[in-house]
């Protein structure tokens, strides 16, 4: 076996504002155990909920998994509603390594925290995370997709796309 010198980086891959789902993507070249990682969703200033991945969850290289609201059919379903009606609604998704939220004063964004926010006024991102800029929504039904393989912790990582086939370079899901 081999070790790595950093917490594995699993990227938020897409935030779908109309159908209310979030994709996450393993950009590493090896399987990543994401058991006990957590995905926290805000709708405006409202905390919609936090989804903790089951203990033995493994994300294969280049694998995309989807976290849906209650009632949708997917690999993972939350017990809360995202309620992102369209790109004009504010929203945030925060993905954190299981240890990153146990000791947030020590761990940084490079230690397994990823974030996307759109139309956000009062951001809920972790205090120790650097984030530059805010995504600006447009009218209609849009998704936010990551257009970069490497997370640079700013809004340039993300773009809008119309509700059409995926356009992201690392966005193989639908």
């Amino acid at each position: 076996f081999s070790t790595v010198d950093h917490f594995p980086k699993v990227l938020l891959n897409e935030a779908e504002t109309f159908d209310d789902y979030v994709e996450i993507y393993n950009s590493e070249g090896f399987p990543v155990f994401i058991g006990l990682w957590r995905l926290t969703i805000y709708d405006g200033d409202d905390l919609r909920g936090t989804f903790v991945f089951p203990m033995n969850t493994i994300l294969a290289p280049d694998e995309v998994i989807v976290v849906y609201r209650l009632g949708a059919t997917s690999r993972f379903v939350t017990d809360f509603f995202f309620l992102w009606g369209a790109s004009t609604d504010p929203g945030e998704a925060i993905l954190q390594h299981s240890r990153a939220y146990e000791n947030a004063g020590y761990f940084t964004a490079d230690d397994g925290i990823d974030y996307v926010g759109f139309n956000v006024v009062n951001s809920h991102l972790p205090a120790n995370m650097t984030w530059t800029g805010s995504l600006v929504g447009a009218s209609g039904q849009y998704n936010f997709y990551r257009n970069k393989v490497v997370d640079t912790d700013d809004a340039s990582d993300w773009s809008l796309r119309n509700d059409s086939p995926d356009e992201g370079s690392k966005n193989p899901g639908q």
Side-chain angles (χ1 to χ4, degrees):
F1 70 94
S2 62
T3 60
V4 294
D5 60 358
H6 62 283
F7 281 114
K9 188 65 175 179
V10 174
L11 299 178
L12 287 165
N13 193 54
E14 180 178 343
E16 217 291 358
T17 61
F18 184 67
D19 290 329
D20 294 333
Y21 68 74
V22 177
E23 292 181 350
I24 66 172
Y25 168 74
N26 178 7
S27 62
E28 303 281 10
F30 50 85
V32 175
F33 288 86
I34 60 168
L36 302 185
W37 287 42
R38 69 180 188 176
L39 176 69
T40 302
I41 301 294
Y42 285 91
D43 170 30
D45 284 332
D46 295 329
L47 172 65
R48 300 310 306 171
T50 297
F51 177 80
V52 179
F53 289 91
M55 175 71 77
N56 296 319
T57 306
I58 300 174
L59 194 60
D62 289 327
E63 183 181 4
V64 171
I65 62 174
V66 183
V67 181
Y68 267 98
R69 73 216 186 286
L70 181 68
T73 301
S74 178
R75 180 168 174 182
F76 294 109
V77 178
T78 69
D79 58 357
F80 56 88
F81 284 94
F82 296 5
L83 297 177
W84 297 332
S87 63
T88 54
D89 292 344
E92 294 168 283
I94 304 168
L95 178 67
Q96 291 177 285
H97 187 281
S98 60
R99 291 183 63 191
Y101 63 87
E102 292 174 3
N103 189 358
Y106 174 78
F107 294 104
T108 67
D110 291 333
D111 296 323
I113 298 175
D114 196 13
Y115 171 84
V116 59
F118 42 94
N119 305 319
V120 172
V121 177
N122 299 313
S123 175
H124 299 94
L125 62 87
N128 60 328
M129 181 178 180
T130 301
W131 178 262
T132 304
S134 180
L135 295 177
V136 177
S139 61
Q141 299 170 8
Y142 283 83
N143 297 349
F144 294 88
Y145 70 88
R146 180 180 290 283
N147 55 32
K148 297 183 179 179
V149 178
V150 178
D151 179 17
T152 58
D153 297 323
D154 62 37
S156 71
D157 290 340
W158 292 84
S159 294
L160 277 171
R161 73 163 174 82
N162 204 323
D163 198 13
S164 59
D166 290 326
E167 300 167 3
S169 61
K170 280 294 181 183
N171 194 28
Q174 293 296 327

